[in-house]
């Protein structure tokens, strides 16, 4: 009897599974083909669809259970974050998803863009001679196929090798090397180096430097224009003269500055279009991939896809000043530019005047 009475007095505890609450997802179909759509996602609806078609294998889920995000929703979330740089929880609230879903969507989209579109969109196009002509029309500089420069992208302090990422401003960053054309389209991107590395070293340890030194050119005798931190090579012309006395050298320096200004404008456009690049609160390796994806999307807004070409990837090495001296090929190329700006042909063609 006692056992039966004790069993009746025992409390029965029933544990119920917590009810899952799925917030209503925000639909952006009403913004298609409008200015608001471009403002939200940094792409027109037509180019949004083109990106989606190319990366959809990276975004598809094996099942539709648990209200899985569609590829379109994932791309919208990722582009919204790239175009605002907001906190993940803010993007999650805007789209009606969780913060972890935002994180996964961005990773999937960045991975898909870098694997399927980066090689196609970030390269020299086939019409390199048109590029050379546009540079010449702009400043009078002949044979220029691109302008090169580096920029710092701030990141959070990494847990490994933290001192290597401290740049000249005392901030943690990545040093990104970019090459662009006269319409601010990017032809090359290297985002593999920490902020403490010199711009010249980033160039020296890139595949672009290796290919150029081996004789490859986007067009015969084509050259790049860079600032004074870069070395003089037969394919790279920096502004070596600070206060030239010769009129031809002075015209060269002025034209060089006017040409080099294009890459500074292109970098400004890139950071303005994708404000996430103002501060990436992610690990360095992931930040490199985000930068490449932003460069690819920025190019997409300017032109259609072009042919495939190789990209650069990582090497290691030393500072490069030892290779600047005794550069006969570079000096000959520099003398060619001096002669060009001292010739009667330059005055007749560019200034439409006689000596």
């Amino acid at each position: 009897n006692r056992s039966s009475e004790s069993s009746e007095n025992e409390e029965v505890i029933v544990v119920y599974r917590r009810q899952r609450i799925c917030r209503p997802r925000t639909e952006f179909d009403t913004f298609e083909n409008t200015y608001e759509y471009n403002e939200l996602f940094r792409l027109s609806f037509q180019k949004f669809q083109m990106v989606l078609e190319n990366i959809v294998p990276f975004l598809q889920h094996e099942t539709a259970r648990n209200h899985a995000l569609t590829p379109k929703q994932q791309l919208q979330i990722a582009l919204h974050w790239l175009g605002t740089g907001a906190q993940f929880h803010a993007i999650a609230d805007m789209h009606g998803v969780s913060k972890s879903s935002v994180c996964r969507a961005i990773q999937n989209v960045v991975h898909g863009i870098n694997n399927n579109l980066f090689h196609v969109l970030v390269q020299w196009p086939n019409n390199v001679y048109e590029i050379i002509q546009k540079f010449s029309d702009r400043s009078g500089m002949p044979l220029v196929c691109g302008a090169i420069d580096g920029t710092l992208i701030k990141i959070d302090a990494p847990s490994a090798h933290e001192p290597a990422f401290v740049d000249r401003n005392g901030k943690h960053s990545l040093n990104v090397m970019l090459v662009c054309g006269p319409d601010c389209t990017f032809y090359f991107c290297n985002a593999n180096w920490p902020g403490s590395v010199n711009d010249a070293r980033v160039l020296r340890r890139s595949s672009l430097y290796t290919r150029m030194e081996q004789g490859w050119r986007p067009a015969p005798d084509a050259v790049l224009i860079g600032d004074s931190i870069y070395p003089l090579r037969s394919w790279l012309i920096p502004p070596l003269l600070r206060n030239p006395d010769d009129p031809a050298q002075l015209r060269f320096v002025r034209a060089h500055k006017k040409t080099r200004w294009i890459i500074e404008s292109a970098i400004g456009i890139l950071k303005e279009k994708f404000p996430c690049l103002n501060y990436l609160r992610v690990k360095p390796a992931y930040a490199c991939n985000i930068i490449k994806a932003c460069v690819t999307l920025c190019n997409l807004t300017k032109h259609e896809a072009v042919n495939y070409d190789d990209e650069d990837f990582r090497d290691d090495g030393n500072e490069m000043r030892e290779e600047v001296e005794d550069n006969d090929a570079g000096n000959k190329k520099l003398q060619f530019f001096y002669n060009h700006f001292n010739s009667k042909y330059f005055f007749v063609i560019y200034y439409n005047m006689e000596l």
Side-chain angles (χ1 to χ4, degrees):
N1 292 334
R2 289 184 178 179
S3 59
S4 61
E5 290 179 0
S6 61
S7 61
E8 291 177 359
N9 295 332
E10 289 180 357
E11 294 183 1
V12 178
I13 301 175
V14 180
V15 179
Y16 293 96
R17 186 176 181 180
R18 187 179 63 176
Q19 184 180 3
R20 185 170 184 178
I21 300 175
C22 294
R23 291 180 290 177
R25 304 267 170 81
T26 305
E27 297 294 337
F28 295 92
D29 294 339
T30 57
F31 294 106
E32 293 178 3
N33 301 314
T34 63
Y35 171 79
E36 289 81 1
Y37 199 90
N38 200 338
E39 186 178 35
L40 279 173
F41 305 118
R42 293 300 191 262
L43 293 175
S44 65
F45 180 69
Q46 291 74 19
K47 292 190 176 180
F48 176 92
Q49 289 294 114
M50 191 274 279
V51 174
L52 184 61
E53 291 172 2
N54 279 273
I55 68 172
V56 69
F58 297 90
L59 307 181
Q60 285 179 331
H61 294 287
E62 296 180 357
T63 176
R65 294 178 60 187
N66 300 324
H67 302 273
L69 291 171
T70 65
K72 182 178 180 180
Q73 289 172 330
Q74 293 179 67
L75 181 57
Q76 288 176 336
I77 290 171
L79 292 180
H80 202 172
W81 179 77
L82 293 173
T84 60
Q87 299 284 350
F88 284 176
H89 65 80
I91 300 296
D93 290 340
M94 295 176 193
H95 289 259
V97 297
S98 66
K99 188 170 67 172
S100 59
S101 295
V102 172
C103 183
R104 285 192 296 269
I106 296 171
Q107 289 178 341
N108 294 337
V109 169
V110 168
H111 181 62
I113 290 173
N114 289 339
N115 276 272
N116 281 14
L117 293 176
F118 179 80
H119 297 284
V120 178
L121 292 173
V122 184
Q123 62 162 335
W124 269 277
N126 293 327
N127 58 339
V128 180
Y129 290 104
E130 294 182 13
I131 294 171
I132 293 174
Q133 186 60 48
K134 289 179 180 179
F135 273 117
S136 180
D137 294 341
R138 183 181 185 89
S139 60
M141 290 285 286
L143 301 178
V144 177
C145 66
I148 183 172
D149 201 2
T151 184
L152 297 174
I153 304 295
K154 289 191 291 186
I155 62 172
D156 275 341
S159 57
H161 309 291
E162 182 269 339
F165 291 87
V166 180
D167 58 31
R168 58 181 177 271
N169 302 315
K171 306 293 184 181
H172 296 88
S173 64
L174 296 174
N175 193 346
V176 181
M177 186 183 75
L178 295 163
V179 179
C180 82
D183 59 350
C184 296
T185 298
F186 294 105
Y187 303 147
F188 190 84
C189 173
N190 184 339
N192 299 324
W193 290 90
S196 64
V197 178
N198 183 276
D199 286 356
R201 184 184 177 189
V202 174
L203 170 64
R204 186 187 177 189
R205 297 304 169 183
S206 70
S207 68
L208 177 64
Y209 184 92
T210 302
R211 296 177 68 193
M212 288 289 196
E213 287 293 289
Q214 292 174 349
W216 178 84
R217 302 287 187 275
D221 297 323
V223 298
L224 299 176
I225 295 296
D227 59 23
S228 58
I229 199 169
Y230 293 110
L232 173 64
R233 313 300 293 173
S234 62
W235 50 270
L236 177 58
I237 307 298
L240 297 182
L241 298 175
R242 294 291 185 179
N243 297 302
D245 298 326
D246 184 75
Q249 294 176 351
L250 180 61
R251 288 191 290 270
F252 162 76
V253 171
R254 289 174 176 173
H256 189 287
K257 182 178 180 180
K258 189 174 182 180
T259 306
R260 195 178 72 249
W261 173 82
I262 296 173
I263 182 62
E264 298 174 2
S265 298
I267 293 173
I269 292 171
L270 174 66
K271 292 183 177 181
E272 184 69 21
K273 182 174 284 292
F274 298 103
C276 68
L277 298 180
N278 292 326
Y279 198 121
L280 289 173
R281 298 174 179 87
V282 295
K283 294 182 178 180
Y286 186 28
C288 296
N289 292 329
I290 292 174
I291 293 166
K292 288 172 56 180
C294 290
V295 171
T296 304
L297 293 172
C298 191
N299 273 7
L300 182 63
T301 64
K302 299 184 179 72
H303 61 77
E304 298 297 331
V306 290
N307 293 333
Y308 176 89
D309 198 5
D310 291 335
E311 61 151 338
D312 74 303
F313 272 114
R314 63 195 73 221
D315 308 277
D316 50 14
N318 304 314
E319 296 296 332
M320 67 174 302
R321 284 300 176 184
E322 68 269 12
E323 291 194 11
V324 178
E325 305 297 335
D326 300 328
N327 186 358
D328 292 338
N331 290 329
K332 289 180 181 178
K333 182 67 73 171
L334 188 62
Q335 188 60 47
F336 163 80
F337 280 94
Y338 292 160
N339 295 337
H340 170 80
F341 285 98
N342 196 32
S343 65
K344 184 177 180 179
Y345 172 82
F346 173 76
F347 282 85
V348 172
I349 297 299
Y350 188 65
Y351 288 111
N352 194 25
M353 59 182 291
E354 298 289 341
L355 284 170

